[in-house]
Amino acid sequence: MSTIHAMAEGQRIGRPLAADSARTRQRILDVARQLFAARGYESTSNRIICEETGLTTGAIYYYCDKKLDIFAAVHDDAQRIVYERFDAAVEGLDTFVGRLRAVLECAHDLNNEDPSIAQFLGSCRVDAARDATVAAAIAKNRPGRQGSFFNDLISFGIDTGEIDETDRAMLSALFRTITTGLVDAVSGDRTRHRHAVDGIIGLVEGRLIRAPDRA
């Protein structure tokens, strides 16, 4: 029995009672995220989602009208999970470097706890590039959360004097590259992910690369 099947073992059920609604919806999102991450949008059908959750088609449609709605809801939920954790990680820290280190450590912990989040976000970029309707659906659901979080982080660094305002655009592009790389390049290997996080922190703190002695 697969991990997803084990999560939904038992008879199929129809529409949930009101008290169970939030829990059932979250189960659909969690299972669908694993499926979309492993198969991609095109190869994941509502039938497969029903089979893996143990729910009826009617129960699935109670929450989402079609597959695209499920995909967009999964994307929204993944963004919520990531940025709620990031917001909590930086709370109370009074330096830009400290906040960036906390975000990177949080990203590593999240990847260890549930690799399907990073895997989904990585595959989501591929699906959005291939299908304009997918791109539009996820943009409508939660536009710009990544950009706003890191722009706020850069603004904080400018306020503390750790960053020059003239470097904002460069840092914004750098953070997009870093976060995409952590997801797409190394999220499937915990050791490489750990090395990447340590390397980024070392660069920011000036410990990883030393200028050559030209004396």
Side-chain angles (χ1 to χ4, degrees), residues 18 44 86 96 136 153 179 197:
T44 302
F86 282 5
F96 167 81
L153 184 60
T179 54
V197 166

Side-chain angles (χ1 to χ4, degrees), residues 8-113:
E9 187 175 8
Q11 289 186 329
R12 291 173 177 269
I13 59 176
R15 291 187 179 185
L17 298 174
D20 296 327
S21 181
R23 183 173 59 185
T24 301
R25 182 180 186 276
Q26 190 61 53
R27 188 168 105 220
I28 293 170
L29 296 179
D30 290 342
V31 172
R33 182 179 66 244
Q34 295 177 48
L35 290 168
F36 286 130
R39 296 167 173 262
Y41 177 77
E42 187 64 31
S43 298
T44 302
S45 66
N46 284 356
R47 178 184 60 79
I48 294 172
I49 295 173
C50 289
E51 289 176 355
E52 297 291 354
T53 57
L55 295 168
T56 64
T57 303
I60 296 292
Y61 287 148
Y62 176 76
Y63 295 95
C64 297
D65 290 337
K66 52 186 181 295
K67 184 175 74 169
L68 186 61
D69 294 333
I70 299 175
F71 189 86
V74 169
H75 181 266
D76 186 67
D77 189 59
Q79 294 284 304
R80 176 192 62 78
I81 292 169
V82 169
Y83 289 102
E84 281 183 0
R85 290 284 293 269
F86 282 5
D87 286 337
V90 303
E91 187 175 359
L93 299 178
D94 58 4
T95 67
F96 167 81
V97 172
R99 290 191 175 196
L100 180 59
R101 184 192 303 113
V103 167
L104 292 168
E105 292 292 351
C106 182
H108 185 65
D109 290 344
L110 269 171
N111 194 58
N112 287 342
E113 293 166 18

